[in-house]
Amino acid sequence: MTVPRSTLRLQLHKGFTFDDAAAQVDYFARLGVSHAYVSPITTATAGSTHGYDVVDYTLVNPELGGEDGLRRFVEKLRAHEMGLIVDIVPNHMGVGGSENAWWQDILEWGRHAAHARFFDVDWHSPDPALRGKVLAPFLGGAYGDELQNGKIRLAYRADEGRFVIEYYSNVFPVCPVDYPAVFQEAPELAQRFVGLTTQPTDQPRAADARTALVTIAQTEGGRAAIEAILAAHAPDTPAGRDRLHRLLERQHYRLAWWRTAADEVNWRRFFDVSTLGGVRVERPEVFEASHALIFRLFTEGLIDGVRVDHVDGLAEPREYCQRLRTRLEELSQERPEALRHGNGHTYFVVEKILARGEPLRREWQVDGTTGYDFMNDVGALLHDPAGAQPLAALWAEVTGKSASFADEALAARRKILAENLSAELDRVTRALHRIARDAHTTRDFTFTSIRRAVAELVVQFPVYRIYPVSGVRSPEDEHFFSQALEAARAVLARADHVVLDQVAQWLGGKLPDELPPPPERNERPERGRDRAAERNRERDRNQAPATQTPPSSSGSQRRAAQTLFSQLTSPVAAKAVEDTACYRYGRLISRNEVGADPGEFALSVDAFHAGNRERFDAFPHAMLCTATHDHKRGEDVRARIAALSEIPDEWAATLRQWSTLNTPLRRGPSGGHGETSDVNDWAPGPAAEAMLYQTLVGCWPMTLEPDDEAGVHALAERVAGWQLKSLREAKLRTSWFAPDEAYENACKDFLFDIVAPQRRNGFLQELSAFVARIGPLGAINSFQQTLLRLTSPGVPDLYQGTELWDFSLVDPDNRRPVDYELRRQWLAEVEEKGPPSEQLANWRDGRVKLSLVRRALALRKHCESLFAQGEYVALDVQGEHAGRVIAYARHAGSAYAIVIATRLAAPLLGAGCDVPIVEPERWGDTSVVLPEALHSRALFDWLSPNAPKAEGERLFLRDALAAMPVALLVEEGVPKV
C-alpha cells in the first residue's frame, strides 16, 4: 500500500453513515484527496456521535451501516482510486450501560471471568469492600438513597434465563452462584444451580442451567415463581431492600455513586471518564481479540491503514506499535493482488501529543503522528512575538490572574491530581510502596511519603510520559524526567528528598538489583516476626497491580510501577493542561489548543523550518492537520484571533471599551443585573468575559450583519454551548463535578444580553466593525496555514467541511453536519472560474479557500513524488519586509515547487483595507533568494495567472505576490487544471 497523498477526516455516526459518506466520494475525489480517514468503525455505545466508546471490537458498527455498508463505501472509494484509513481505539472500551459483553462477563464472574484480564482491574484492592470486586461508579446519587428510592431493582430476562440488577439503562448481572439464594421463594428452581462456583469449569454448567430456566419460567408455575422472587427483592419495603442489598453485596461489583470514582476506582479509566475502561492490550490474547476485525478487514482489502487513538494510554506504546507493525506487514502479503503494489508498507500513525523538543521515537516503527505537532507549529507561526508581553500584561491587569500560563497549568495539575485522579495516584504509590517494603534500606519509607514524592513528580512532569526500555529510562526520557525531578526537589521538604531520589531510581533510573543485606552476625530475628514479615511480603506480592503479572523480582516490580506512573502522568497532563488550564488562561485563546503550549506564544520562521526539516528526516509521511474532531476552535477562528497579536494596543483598548459598555449587563451571584460590592463577584467574571469577547471576534461569520436577528441568535446559541463547556472545564466557579447552574445561567443571560437585537447599534455594531477591521488579517493567516499544511513534508489532512471557512468551536460544534451540496456547487464554480485569485475579491464567502485547497491538492497529485519524497529547502528572504514572509522549496531531481506566504501583515495592509492582500508596491525591495537552478527561469503561480520572473537569484515579492497573499510556483511544463 502506498502512503496517502492526502486524507479527509470524516466523523461517522448514525446521522452520517457509510452510505452517506459513499454519496460524497465523487466530491472528495474532485477535491483531490487520495484517502478517506474515518472515525472508529467498530461498534460503539448506541447513539455515540464519535465512536470512541467502543463496546464490541468484533463487529462493524450497525449504526453506521454495518459491514455491508462499509463494503459499499469502499467500493465507491476504489472506483475513484481512493483508499481508506480507519481510527482504532486499543486503549479503552465503553463500560457504561449494558452493551459491552466483555465487561458484563467480569461483572458476572469476577476475577474468574473469561475476560477478567482483558481490563486493567486491580483485583487486590487494599479496600476490603473491593477485594475481588469491581467498583461500579454508575449511580447518579448515593447508593443508599438510590436503593431507598427504588431506582435499583432486581429484574429477570426471560429470553436468557438471567437475573440482573437494573438501574436506568445500566444492567448488572447477578452471578449464577447466587441464584440458589435468590430462589428462596421457589426452591424447586434452585437445584440446577446448587454447587456452582465461579471457576471457569463451572461456567458452562451455569449456562446450561439458565437455558433450562428459560423453559421452566415459561410455565404458569414458573412465571408465578419468578414474580414471587422479584417481589421478595422489591426495594419498596424494608425487607425487600435488605434482601436486595444482601444480594448486591455478594456480587463481583460494588454499585456506587459516580463521585466515588475519583477516590476509589480500582480499574484504569480513560483519563477520568468512568464510562471508559482501560484495556490490557499489552496481553497477546487481548491484542488479537481486539484487533481481529481490523486485521480481517485489512487482509480483505477493505482498509488500507490505521490511526491509533491515544497511544500514550497503553502500558507499552513501543511494544504495541512494533507488534502492530509486524502483524500488518505480515497480513499485507495476503491482501488482494491489486492492493499489493509498492513496497508493501502499511500506513500507520499514532495520536501523540509532543512537547517542544520531544521526539517521536523512531523505534516505534510508525509513520508519524496525526499532526498535532504541526498544528502547534503553524499556529504559533501566525502570532507576532511582539504581542506576547503586552497581551500577557493586559490579561493580568484585566483579570488579576498571573500573566504566566505555567502558573495556571501548575495549579490545574495539582487540582486534577487531588480531585480527579486521586485513586490512580494511590495505585502508583502502592506499587512503589511494595518495592520499598522488599528492601531493608527502604522498608521505612512510608506510603504517605512516597505519595508526596510521586504526586510532586507528576505535577511537575513536562511531557505526557516516559518510555523506559527494559525498566531503564532512555536519554530522551532522562531529559524530561530530570526536569520534573529538580522541580519536585525544589518544592518538597528536605526530609522527603531521600524518598524522592529513590522513587526516581525505581521509575527507570540505572541501579543494581537491590538485594537485602545479610543480617549482622549476632542479629537473630524472632521467629514469629520473621514469619509475619514473610506473610506481609506474600500479601504484597498477591496485591500486585493488574497491569502486570504479579512480579517475581524487583525489576519486574519496577516495570509495573513505571507503567502505572506513565499511565498517570498522561491523563494528568491532558486533563490539567488541555481540559482545565486552557479554559482558565486567555492571553490569546488562539494558542489554547490541543497539542499546544499557550506559554509558547509565537514561533519564528527559522524554528518552523527546523521543525519541517526534522519531520522530513524522521517521519516524512506524518499527518499534517490544522483542524480535528478534538480541536477547541476551528482553524479559521484561531487564525483570526492570532491577528490580535499584531495589534495588541488596539485590542487592549477595544477589550476595555467593550467591558465598560457591557458593565450594566453583568449579573450578580443571584443572577440579577448590576455590579456587586466585590469587583470579581459577578457573572461571567473578568476572565470569562475577556475570553468570551475573543471567541465572538474569532467565530463571527464573515457575512453576518448586526441586524440579522436570526443569524445573531443562532451564533449566540453556538457560543453558549462553548461557554458552558469552557466554564465547567475551567473548574473554578462551576464544573462537571459540581455544576453551579445559577452562575451558568447568569453567564448565558449575559451573553444573550450583549448580542440582543437592541444592541445592534451598540455592542453588536462595534463587534461587527472590529471583525471587519481584522478580517483580512485573519484571512491572510488562514491562507498561510492552509498552504503550509498542503505543501510541508508529510500527508496533509483535511477535516470535514474545512475547505470553506472553519469558524467552529469545541465539540459538539465542530462536529455539526457538513453542507456538502453547497460545497459541490461551489467546487464546480471554482473549477470553471480558474485559480484562487479569481475568488479573492469575494473572499468572505470562503470559495477562495476552497479553490486554494483544490489547486494545491491537484499539484500534489500532478507532482506526487516531488511532495512525497522531495527535500525541504528553506529559502532566504531579504529586504525591507523580510520578516513578513515565509518561503521554502520542495525539490526532487530537477523539479521544484516554491512556496511563499505573507505573514504578520498588519503594518502593510493599512487602514480600511477590504481585501486580504498586500498592495504590490508596499513590498518594496523584499525578495526571495531562489535556488541556483531557478535563476532567471520561467515560473508560474499555481494559484493565480501570475508568472513572476526572477532577476538573477532574486524573486521580488511585488511580482510573486501581486495576485494572492500566497504563491505556489512551479516551472513551465506542469499542466494547470
Side-chain angles (χ1 to χ4, degrees):
M1 178 62 198
T2 55
V3 170
R5 186 176 65 249
S6 55
T7 59
L8 190 148
R9 170 72 181 209
L10 297 172
Q11 290 298 114
L12 302 177
H13 47 81
K14 67 179 180 180
F16 189 80
T17 66
F18 291 127
D19 287 337
D20 295 317
Q24 307 301 334
V25 166
D26 60 328
Y27 166 73
F28 302 151
R30 285 172 54 200
L31 193 59
V33 297
S34 70
H35 287 66
Y37 156 43
V38 299
S39 57
I41 63 173
T42 44
T43 301
T45 301
S48 174
T49 59
H50 50 78
Y52 290 98
D53 45 357
V54 177
V55 296
D56 189 347
Y57 283 124
T58 68
L59 187 69
V60 177
N61 195 339
E63 290 191 342
L64 306 183
E67 191 165 324
D68 288 342
L70 171 64
R71 291 181 184 276
R72 291 191 295 270
F73 178 40
V74 173
E75 184 178 359
K76 288 290 294 288
L77 291 172
R78 300 301 185 214
H80 288 80
E81 299 182 333
M82 293 175 64
L84 178 63
I85 309 297
V86 298
D87 204 338
I88 62 176
V89 193
N91 175 67
H92 56 267
M93 297 184 78
V95 296
S98 61
E99 300 171 84
N100 191 325
W102 292 0
W103 184 256
Q104 289 286 303
D105 181 40
I106 71 167
L107 293 181
E108 184 170 26
W109 295 104
R111 73 180 86 183
H112 293 135
H115 299 93
R117 303 182 78 181
F118 277 46
F119 294 93
D120 207 346
V121 180
D122 182 0
W123 295 104
H124 304 283
S125 172
D127 181 354
L130 281 177
R131 285 181 191 157
K133 292 178 180 280
V134 173
L135 184 72
F138 304 121
L139 302 183
Y143 170 79
D145 293 339
E146 300 299 87
L147 187 66
Q148 177 77 27
N149 294 331
K151 296 178 181 179
I152 304 171
R153 308 188 76 90
L154 180 68
Y156 174 69
R157 299 291 171 88
D159 57 337
E160 302 175 34
R162 182 189 300 271
F163 283 91
V164 297
I165 303 298
E166 291 184 343
Y167 178 79
Y168 294 105
S169 62
N170 289 276
V171 175
F172 307 93
V174 173
C175 182
V177 171
D178 295 313
Y179 280 25
V182 172
F183 292 151
Q184 289 180 22
E185 284 70 28
E188 68 279 6
L189 299 181
Q191 293 185 8
R192 292 178 182 273
F193 297 92
V194 171
L196 279 178
T197 72
T198 59
Q199 293 299 317
T201 53
D202 268 2
Q203 293 177 26
R205 186 159 73 89
D208 293 340
R210 277 198 294 241
T211 301
L213 185 59
V214 170
T215 303
I216 296 172
Q218 290 174 347
T219 66
E220 183 176 350
R223 285 193 295 271
I226 296 297
E227 290 174 3
I229 290 167
L230 297 180
H233 291 82
D236 308 321
T237 65
R241 281 195 302 275
D242 181 66
R243 182 96 171 262
L244 180 58
H245 169 69
R246 284 186 282 114
L247 176 63
L248 284 168
E249 290 293 276
R250 292 195 296 270
Q251 301 313 301
H252 299 291
Y253 49 84
R254 181 170 77 81
L255 294 186
W257 193 6
W258 63 268
R259 290 189 176 184
T260 65
D263 295 324
E264 295 187 346
V265 70
N266 63 333
W267 43 274
R268 183 170 62 86
R269 303 173 289 173
F270 171 74
F271 295 168
D272 61 349
V273 183
S274 296
T275 55
L276 297 176
V279 176
R280 298 184 65 190
V281 74
E282 68 274 12
R283 297 186 61 83
E285 70 273 22
V286 181
F287 177 87
E288 292 299 330
S290 58
H291 291 72
L293 173 66
I294 295 300
F295 290 157
R296 178 173 65 80
L297 298 176
F298 174 73
T299 303
E300 293 181 17
L302 293 175
I303 63 176
D304 303 300
V306 295
R307 177 259 200 198
V308 176
D309 178 66
H310 189 50
V311 71
D312 275 341
L314 306 180
E316 299 288 352
R318 177 176 64 95
E319 285 80 356
Y320 169 83
C321 290
Q322 291 174 349
R323 177 181 291 174
L324 183 57
R325 168 64 68 198
T326 298
R327 292 287 279 118
L328 290 173
E329 300 314 314
E330 290 172 351
L331 294 172
S332 67
Q333 304 306 311
E334 303 175 26
R335 284 164 62 80
E337 184 68 30
L339 298 175
R340 279 190 271 147
H341 57 281
N343 60 7
H345 182 80
T346 303
Y347 191 64
F348 164 24
V349 292
V350 294
E351 184 200 36
K352 165 68 182 150
I353 303 298
L354 294 168
R356 179 67 62 204
E358 180 187 8
L360 181 64
R361 312 305 165 89
R362 296 196 190 197
E363 67 270 19
W364 288 12
Q365 301 176 22
V366 301
D367 287 297
T369 72
T370 54
Y372 290 124
D373 47 328
F374 178 82
M375 187 163 80
N376 180 34
D377 286 357
V378 75
L381 184 69
L382 303 182
H383 290 72
D384 189 339
Q389 192 282 326
L391 288 171
L394 172 67
W395 173 253
E397 173 197 332
V398 168
T399 66
K401 292 173 170 284
S402 171
S404 168
F405 176 75
D407 292 340
E408 203 71 81
L410 191 64
R413 283 174 174 271
R414 294 194 189 284
K415 182 179 182 68
I416 290 298
L417 191 58
E419 298 179 15
N420 296 66
L421 297 167
S422 178
E424 287 79 359
L425 174 60
D426 285 346
R427 195 172 177 191
V428 178
T429 306
R430 285 197 300 273
L432 292 167
H433 193 221
R434 280 189 286 270
I435 299 173
R437 287 291 177 87
D438 278 348
H440 292 179
T441 54
T442 57
R443 64 182 298 178
D444 287 336
F445 288 3
T446 65
F447 177 92
T448 304
S449 66
I450 294 174
R451 194 179 194 274
R452 283 195 299 269
V454 172
E456 200 59 43
L457 277 174
V458 172
V459 163
Q460 303 289 347
F461 221 69
V463 292
Y464 262 48
R465 61 172 288 173
I466 56 173
Y467 310 94
V469 178
S470 298
V472 178
R473 294 192 294 270
S474 67
E476 295 90 345
D477 290 333
E478 195 60 46
H479 173 73
F480 295 106
F481 191 93
S482 62
Q483 295 177 33
L485 181 61
E486 292 311 308
R489 194 189 312 281
V491 173
L492 290 171
R494 184 179 296 274
D496 284 332
H497 288 186
V498 63
V499 177
L500 175 67
D501 290 338
Q502 183 61 68
V503 165
Q505 288 294 313
W506 288 329
L507 293 176
K510 295 180 180 178
L511 75 167
D513 288 339
E514 294 179 352
L515 298 176
E520 294 293 334
R521 180 175 302 175
N522 295 325
E523 182 182 348
R524 299 191 61 176
E526 296 178 29
R527 290 180 180 269
R529 292 184 181 179
D530 192 47
R531 285 194 298 268
E534 181 56 35
R535 284 196 300 271
N536 287 338
R537 284 193 292 272
E538 180 63 25
R539 178 203 61 203
D540 290 341
R541 282 193 289 271
N542 289 336
Q543 293 179 8
T547 304
Q548 298 284 343
T549 300
S552 58
S553 69
S554 60
S556 58
Q557 281 184 317
R558 287 198 296 271
R559 285 191 288 276
Q562 290 162 14
T563 295
L564 292 173
F565 179 77
S566 293
Q567 289 177 323
L568 176 58
T569 58
S570 175
V572 168
K575 293 300 298 180
V577 177
E578 295 170 18
D579 293 345
T580 304
C582 279
Y583 289 101
R584 294 180 174 186
Y585 181 81
R587 172 169 55 180
L588 272 193
I589 56 177
S590 47
R591 290 297 293 135
N592 297 17
E593 192 50 80
V594 179
D597 174 9
E600 180 190 65
F601 188 75
L603 192 71
S604 69
V605 169
D606 287 344
F608 181 82
H609 285 321
N612 267 353
R613 282 192 295 265
E614 290 172 7
R615 190 177 301 106
F616 175 78
D617 291 339
F619 298 99
H621 307 308
M623 273 189 176
L624 310 177
C625 71
T626 49
T628 77
H629 59 286
D630 277 334
H631 68 233
K632 299 186 185 303
R633 292 159 195 89
E635 58 186 33
D636 298 314
V637 176
R638 297 194 308 271
R640 189 189 289 168
I641 296 174
L644 302 179
S645 69
E646 303 179 56
I647 53 169
D649 294 339
E650 181 179 347
W651 171 242
T654 300
L655 177 62
R656 295 187 182 99
Q657 178 185 349
W658 289 353
S659 185
T660 300
L661 180 65
N662 291 323
T663 293
L665 305 179
R666 293 174 177 175
R667 299 303 211 273
S670 61
H673 282 287
E675 292 184 274
T676 67
S677 57
D678 185 341
V679 70
N680 290 322
D681 190 16
W682 52 273
E689 182 189 29
M691 287 192 278
L692 173 61
Y693 293 143
Q694 288 186 46
T695 299
L696 288 169
V697 166
C699 72
W700 185 272
M702 301 266 195
T703 56
L704 182 60
E705 296 295 334
D707 58 357
D708 180 354
E709 291 187 23
V712 172
H713 183 80
L715 176 65
E717 290 286 359
R718 291 177 49 220
V719 174
W722 161 83
Q723 183 186 58
L724 177 62
K725 182 164 185 173
S726 177
L727 295 171
R728 288 188 176 181
E729 294 285 12
K731 305 171 187 68
L732 293 171
R733 297 176 66 174
T734 186
S735 68
W736 300 107
F737 196 81
D740 182 341
E741 294 183 2
Y743 169 69
E744 294 169 354
N745 290 334
C747 291
K748 183 176 181 179
D749 290 343
F750 176 82
L751 164 62
F752 277 88
D753 269 359
I754 67 175
V755 299
Q758 58 266 35
R759 319 291 173 207
R760 67 170 61 93
N761 296 320
F763 173 69
L764 279 177
Q765 184 62 48
E766 291 196 15
L767 172 61
S768 177
F770 185 81
V771 170
R773 153 85 175 89
I774 68 166
L777 286 174
I780 288 174
N781 280 343
S782 177
F783 296 144
Q784 177 190 176
Q785 76 174 352
T786 299
L787 185 59
L788 298 189
R789 170 168 53 89
L790 296 172
T791 58
S792 289
V795 176
D797 174 50
L798 180 70
Y799 183 63
Q800 60 180 25
T802 58
E803 59 269 35
L804 296 182
W805 295 129
D806 174 23
F807 294 121
S808 63
L809 299 171
V810 72
D811 64 279
D813 192 66
N814 61 12
R815 302 173 189 179
R816 287 176 295 150
V818 176
D819 187 346
Y820 284 111
E821 288 309 308
L822 175 66
R823 286 161 175 77
R824 282 176 175 276
Q825 176 188 336
W826 284 6
L827 182 60
E829 291 178 13
V830 301
E831 287 174 335
E832 181 181 343
K833 291 185 178 180
S837 60
E838 297 301 311
Q839 304 289 337
L840 189 61
N842 300 314
W843 61 278
R844 288 180 178 82
D845 63 18
R847 275 176 280 196
V848 61
K849 184 183 178 186
L850 173 64
S851 184
L852 171 58
V853 170
R854 173 189 168 270
R855 297 282 291 197
L857 289 177
L859 183 61
R860 289 189 72 98
K861 183 175 182 179
H862 282 298
C863 305
E864 189 164 354
S865 62
L866 174 62
F867 288 96
Q869 288 97 36
E871 64 178 307
Y872 181 89
V873 182
L875 299 180
D876 186 27
V877 182
Q878 300 177 350
E880 182 182 359
H881 298 298
R884 305 195 181 279
V885 181
I886 180 172
Y888 56 84
R890 301 301 307 275
H891 171 224
S894 61
Y896 281 89
I898 305 297
V899 178
I900 305 174
T902 305
R903 62 186 298 268
L904 307 182
L908 302 181
L909 290 187
C913 175
D914 191 52
V915 180
I917 188 171
V918 175
E919 292 295 330
E921 64 273 9
R922 302 202 67 163
W923 284 113
D925 65 346
T926 310
S927 64
V928 174
V929 179
L930 293 178
E932 185 176 356
L934 296 180
H935 291 181
S936 302
R937 298 276 287 275
L939 300 171
F940 72 85
D941 187 7
W942 197 256
L943 307 179
S944 76
N946 203 11
K949 185 174 182 179
E951 297 181 17
E953 67 175 10
R954 302 182 71 189
L955 177 64
F956 287 95
L957 294 192
R958 59 175 178 259
D959 299 324
L961 299 181
M964 279 285 287
V966 293
L968 180 53
L969 307 176
V970 294
E971 293 185 79
E972 290 288 353
V974 178
K976 284 194 174 184
V977 294

